[in-house]
Amino acid sequence: MKLIIVTLLVFLVIGITVLNSGAYNMAATDKHWAITEDIIEWVRDSSIKAHAEKVVVPSLDDPALIPRGAEHYLDMCAGCHSQPGQEPTELALGLYPQAPVFHLREQITNQEAIPERAKAYFWVIKNGLKMTGMPAWGLSHQDDDIWAMTAFVLAMHGMTAEQYQLLVNSNTDQHNENNGHHHGNGDHHGNGDHHH
């Protein structure tokens, strides 16, 4: 038993010495080992599942949710998660781990799977993810905005460039008419905005 404890202490001291020397490369261009990625994904997915379990999914059938979510997505998410029909941005290319590209995911055909996926998307959008670049939008957005983003991200699975542009263009036209909520450069919010 004593030998095991001494061995573990020796490995601990060696590990701390190596890490303290700067030998471990923290650059985003230096990828993790495959086993490290597998462990991180397992921990992340388990954490999301456990914390999202308590989320209560409201009705996502309101036709206004997806266009509203599309506006938020264009302003806040597209730079990292990309848009259908467009090349990834420089920001997206420089992220490690890479942000998921939702329009490349298969459309969800099993209706029973949607609530679980919605819970996970909502929880991640609201709380963010450590060491990924994913911000916690719940610090600056109310739940109804986050549910709109959730509904849109769900709808993005398999979305074509034409479908996406139709949503974005109709939203831009409506925004210009109403002078409503807009993030854009400088995070401008129109008069009478009650989203935050």
Side-chain angles (χ1 to χ4, degrees):
M1 183 67 173
K2 189 174 181 181
L3 180 62
I4 293 172
I5 293 172
V6 170
T7 305
L8 288 174
L9 285 173
V10 168
F11 279 119
L12 180 64
V13 169
I14 291 170
I16 290 171
T17 303
V18 169
L19 292 176
N20 191 48
S21 73
Y24 182 79
N25 190 349
M26 288 295 291
T29 52
D30 188 48
K31 309 306 182 201
H32 292 302
W33 295 332
I35 191 164
T36 307
E37 284 192 358
D38 290 343
I39 291 169
I40 291 170
E41 287 177 15
W42 169 63
V43 170
R44 180 199 65 210
D45 294 347
S46 299
S47 176
I48 292 169
K49 184 176 181 182
H51 288 91
E53 187 91 18
K54 302 173 188 121
V55 173
V56 177
V57 181
S59 171
L60 300 177
D61 295 332
D62 181 351
L65 275 179
I66 290 178
R68 183 173 162 197
E71 180 182 0
H72 285 295
Y73 184 89
L74 178 63
D75 289 337
M76 298 155 44
C77 311
C80 295
H81 295 278
S82 302
Q83 303 173 63
Q86 295 188 4
E87 293 295 318
T89 64
E90 292 175 350
L91 174 60
L93 292 171
L95 287 174
Y96 183 71
Q98 294 275 285
V101 181
F102 298 107
H103 68 273
L104 296 181
R105 292 184 172 181
E106 287 186 30
Q107 191 171 19
I108 303 171
T109 54
N110 179 3
Q111 295 300 306
E112 293 175 8
I114 291 176
E116 291 306 308
R117 187 67 61 90
K119 287 180 180 186
Y121 284 170
F122 175 86
W123 189 87
V124 171
I125 294 168
K126 182 170 182 170
N127 297 287
L129 287 173
K130 292 176 180 174
M131 299 177 71
T132 65
M134 176 63 197
W137 292 115
L139 298 176
S140 57
H141 290 73
Q142 293 179 359
D143 283 2
D144 57 346
D145 289 322
I146 296 172
W147 280 117
M149 287 186 264
T150 300
F152 179 70
V153 170
L154 285 167
M156 277 194 83
H157 288 224
M159 185 178 283
T160 65
E162 293 77 17
Q163 292 168 325
Y164 180 76
Q165 283 306 316
L166 188 64
L167 273 170
V168 169
N169 291 340
S170 66
N171 243 14
T172 302
D173 294 342
Q174 186 177 12
H175 170 74
N176 289 339
E177 288 174 13
N178 297 335
N179 191 28
H181 180 90
H182 179 67
H183 294 89
N185 294 334
D187 199 25
H188 170 71
H189 297 267
N191 293 336
D193 183 348
H194 301 292
H195 293 304
H196 303 291

